[in-house]
């Protein structure tokens, strides 16, 4: 009976250790995903800003063309 109890305690400790390892790995994966989404978000914001600038420049060029046409 003592042998069985010892084996059970050892199994429980091994299971607890494996669980902690899995839990740590999951935290790392979550952190990586969060970082990647943050990078992607920043890139999208930069792209939106660039598109907005291009749209403004295009609008100004169209306005200049219309002004030249009306001279």
């Amino acid at each position: 009976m003592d042998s069985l109890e010892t084996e059970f305690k050892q199994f429980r400790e091994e299971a607890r250790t494996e669980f902690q390892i899995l839990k740590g790995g999951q935290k790392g994966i979550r952190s990586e995903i969060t970082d990647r989404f943050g990078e992607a978000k920043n890139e999208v914001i930069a792209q939106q800003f660039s598109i907005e600038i291009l749209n403004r420049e295009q609008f100004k060029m169209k306005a200049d063309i219309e002004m030249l046409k009306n001279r």
Side-chain angles (χ1 to χ4, degrees), residues 41 43-55:
K41 181 180 177 182
E43 185 65 28
V44 167
I45 290 170
Q47 293 296 327
Q48 288 174 332
F49 185 70
S50 295
I51 290 169
E52 188 175 319
I53 290 171
L54 289 172
N55 285 339

Side-chain angles (χ1 to χ4, degrees), residues 19-32:
F19 178 70
Q20 291 301 324
I21 290 169
L22 289 171
K23 198 172 167 183
Q26 188 179 33
K27 283 172 109 176
I29 290 170
R30 282 184 186 163
S31 177
E32 180 70 23

